[in-house]
Amino acid sequence: MTARLADIAAQAGVSEATVSRVLNGKPGVSATTRQSVLAALDVLGYERPVRLRQRSAGLVGLITPELENPIFPAFAQVIGQALTRQGYTPVLATQTPGGSTEDELTEMLVDRGVAGIIFVSGLHADTSADMQRYEQLRGQGVPFVLINGFSDKVQAPFVSPDDRAAIRLAVTHLAALGHQRIGLALGPKRFVPVQRKIEGFLHSMRDQLGLDRAAAQELIQHSLYTLEGGQAAAGALLARGCTAVVCASDMMALGAIRAARQQGLDVPREVSVVGFDDSPLIAFTDPPLTTIRQPVTAMGQAAVRALLEEVGGTPAPHSEFVFHPELVVRGSTASVPKTVRVPGQGGSSGADGSRSDTYSGRPGADGDRAGTGDSRTGTDGSSA
């Protein structure tokens, strides 16, 4: 093996250590040097290791955390269509509870020779995760792009919505309706999008309502990115006197509506709820959900462009492409009630029917229906 390394190193004009790094898929080798080593292997008649064989020009991997949350199928559809238009075939790999992990799915795609991989809301968004896995992938010569979540430890293009601006839009909207006690329901704090949403919330509560950081922190509740998680978080926030709840996903928002109704509170007459994503069909819930629209189409197309540039030999810069979200006002938000009714204490809310111009239809308060999704919309995924 030593003689072989020496022969390859001499042919490629590099050190034996560099040859070893290339053959073992280690990071720290430029694309040009890697190609020189692979060319030397071919010239000398050595068989390339499986991981270094020519990648398929037609397959691109797409890894999502799950598909129950409709935002992930939405990303998959946009990305798949964009790849197909460019002559590529998308290969969708989805994590399942107790099933394949992101690392296992990545290995499977690499073994099948994909030309590149797009990660949506993956471990790159988790600040507690080891980012070395992505450097190892780069060391294998596999281009990749990461959606939702940024790490300065990963040399790759990132695509994200402006989470801080998204929460500013929601808080500004609710403050304009007269709400003073605005709660924020989101997922675990270790995720980058969650941290950014918190930053946006703290600044907005200060700028719009004059709340200091400590007071605003009391109105933040962490939970799971499920309908049940949103229900639990909203229940805690309503107990603190919140008249409005901003949720970090539409699924959590449906849970928040359920929590309000179970406590006998009318949405939006007594409690306003804002979601995040503008998932498909969310406009048809009961009431139609006011939400922050994540620019899925623009983000998905940008991710495909960045990946294909790398596949074509033009590495994209290590930067983050940030897309501005949009507030979509529907029927789940209205003016603050004149008298706040604390859940469980009875009394009149004093809300005399004042509600936003966008509201249409009676929301209903049957105590068990959060929207068209009902309990089937639960998900353990995170759009953060």
Side-chain angles (χ1 to χ4, degrees):
M1 184 63 184
T2 302
R4 178 180 293 182
L5 281 178
D7 292 342
I8 297 170
Q11 178 67 33
V14 299
S15 68
E16 292 183 29
T18 297
V19 173
S20 178
R21 295 184 74 82
V22 172
L23 295 181
N24 289 289
K26 299 295 184 181
V29 180
S30 69
T32 301
T33 301
R34 182 180 294 106
Q35 285 303 120
S36 296
V37 172
L38 295 179
L41 282 173
D42 298 337
V43 169
L44 296 173
Y46 293 130
E47 184 178 358
R48 295 187 183 188
V50 174
R51 69 170 69 89
L52 298 179
R53 291 175 188 168
Q54 183 64 39
R55 304 209 163 275
S56 168
L59 301 179
V60 171
L62 171 61
I63 299 180
T64 64
E66 43 97 1
L67 290 176
E68 292 182 358
N69 187 330
I71 195 63
F72 296 125
F75 267 114
Q77 181 177 20
V78 169
I79 292 170
Q81 290 175 342
L83 288 170
T84 300
R85 285 195 295 269
Q86 297 298 321
Y88 289 83
T89 301
V91 180
L92 179 61
T94 304
Q95 301 176 57
T96 55
S100 299
T101 64
E102 180 181 310
D103 290 338
E104 290 169 341
L105 294 175
T106 300
E107 182 178 2
M108 176 196 72
L109 292 171
V110 171
D111 288 345
R112 281 160 176 73
V114 295
I117 300 175
I118 297 175
F119 295 86
V120 181
S121 299
L123 290 171
H124 61 277
D126 188 341
T127 58
S128 67
D130 183 5
M131 298 299 153
Q132 187 61 27
R133 55 174 44 87
Y134 298 109
E135 287 308 300
Q136 291 173 352
L137 182 60
R138 180 165 293 282
Q140 293 174 300
V142 182
F144 58 92
V145 175
L146 306 146
I147 297 178
N148 276 336
F150 176 79
S151 173
D152 57 10
K153 299 177 183 177
V154 181
Q155 298 295 313
F158 289 82
V159 177
S160 305
D162 191 333
D163 291 292
R164 300 180 185 90
I167 300 304
R168 284 198 298 269
L169 287 171
V171 171
T172 300
H173 168 63
L174 293 168
L177 292 173
H179 293 275
Q180 298 287 318
R181 299 285 292 178
I182 301 171
L184 177 64
L186 28 65
K189 192 174 182 179
R190 67 179 185 274
F191 294 107
V192 172
V194 170
Q195 296 173 4
R196 290 176 169 181
K197 286 182 173 70
I198 291 175
E199 291 175 13
F201 181 74
L202 295 176
H203 286 123
S204 298
M205 294 295 280
R206 179 198 63 199
D207 296 342
Q208 295 293 325
L209 301 173
L211 262 65
D212 61 29
R213 190 178 186 87
Q217 286 276 11
E218 293 297 318
L219 302 177
I220 297 174
Q221 184 67 41
H222 295 278
S223 186
L224 299 177
Y225 278 97
T226 63
L227 186 148
E228 293 78 13
Q231 182 176 348
L237 293 170
L238 292 174
R240 296 172 201 165
C242 290
T243 61
V245 179
V246 179
C247 299
S249 78
D250 289 338
M251 295 301 98
M252 294 188 78
L254 294 182
I257 294 175
R258 172 178 288 180
R261 288 177 173 171
Q262 286 187 339
Q263 296 185 26
L265 299 172
D266 184 273
V267 177
R269 188 164 54 87
E270 295 174 289
V271 176
S272 288
V273 176
V274 179
F276 185 91
D277 283 337
D278 196 27
S279 310
L281 301 180
I282 213 66
F284 304 100
T285 57
D286 180 18
L289 186 66
T290 293
T291 188
I292 302 296
R293 176 177 294 159
Q294 189 171 179
V296 173
T297 300
M299 291 172 60
Q301 292 174 347
V304 170
R305 285 196 300 270
L307 181 71
L308 296 187
E309 285 180 2
E310 291 225 3
V311 170
T314 306
H318 173 224
S319 60
E320 183 179 26
F321 302 93
V322 180
F323 290 78
H324 198 73
E326 177 186 357
L327 174 68
V328 182
V329 179
R330 297 194 181 103
S332 64
T333 52
S335 299
V336 66
K338 293 180 179 179
T339 303
V340 177
R341 175 159 61 90
V342 178
Q345 293 186 5
S348 172
S349 67
D352 55 3
S354 58
R355 52 186 73 177
S356 67
D357 292 338
T358 58
Y359 174 74
S360 60
R362 181 178 180 275
D366 53 12
D368 63 359
R369 188 158 58 114
T372 57
D374 291 332
S375 62
R376 292 171 296 176
T377 55
T379 172
D380 59 1
S382 165
S383 69

